Amino acid sequence: YKYDSTYEGIAVHADQAAVNVNIWLTADESNLDLDHGGLVIYHSRADADEQINGEANNGQYGVDQCDELSGNANITVPYRENRFVIFDSSLYHRTDKFKFKSEKYTD
């Protein structure tokens, strides 16, 4: 996904795939909060039925519910230019809070 600085990112969800791959290409200088802007991966998984039925993507779990399900355990991967993250798609995850410069960009 491509975001501009006014979006909030993707809410908590799990995906129907074996693995997810995220790559971030925007320059670090554009990130106004170097401790954030990346990805939060929770230590709780969607079961197969939730994934097949799409329940893992319907927004039924918020941050508080995932914190509770995972015992407040998560991995927060900070944003870094050219960072590549691979993880199990059944793990609940979301976009970390972010604040990037609101500059025009070119494709």
Side-chain angles (χ1 to χ4, degrees):
Y1 295 93
K2 185 191 289 188
Y3 294 110
D4 71 24
S5 61
T6 61
Y7 291 132
E8 293 184 12
I10 299 175
V12 174
H13 68 286
D15 295 304
Q16 282 185 316
V19 296
N20 275 16
V21 177
N22 286 26
I23 185 168
W24 301 310
L25 302 172
T26 301
D28 286 337
E29 301 84 53
S30 295
N31 186 354
L32 300 175
D33 182 356
L34 291 177
D35 291 330
H36 297 285
L39 182 69
V40 178
I41 304 170
Y42 294 92
H43 291 214
S44 58
R45 298 178 189 280
D47 65 32
D49 289 338
E50 289 175 319
Q51 288 180 293
I52 291 169
N53 297 329
E55 294 168 8
N57 275 332
N58 69 5
Q60 75 180 25
Y61 293 116
V63 174
D64 292 340
Q65 289 86 357
C66 275
D67 282 342
E68 184 177 321
L69 286 171
S70 67
N72 292 316
N74 69 64
I75 297 169
T76 300
V77 182
Y79 182 92
R80 294 294 181 272
E81 178 181 6
N82 293 326
R83 178 164 278 172
F84 193 85
V85 182
I86 301 173
F87 61 97
D88 181 335
S89 293
S90 69
L91 292 170
Y92 283 101
H93 57 282
R94 66 176 172 85
T95 305
D96 193 13
K97 64 181 179 178
F98 62 89
K99 184 172 176 87
F100 283 82
K101 292 179 183 175
S102 58
E103 299 173 348
K104 300 259 184 215
Y105 53 86
T106 58
D107 293 329

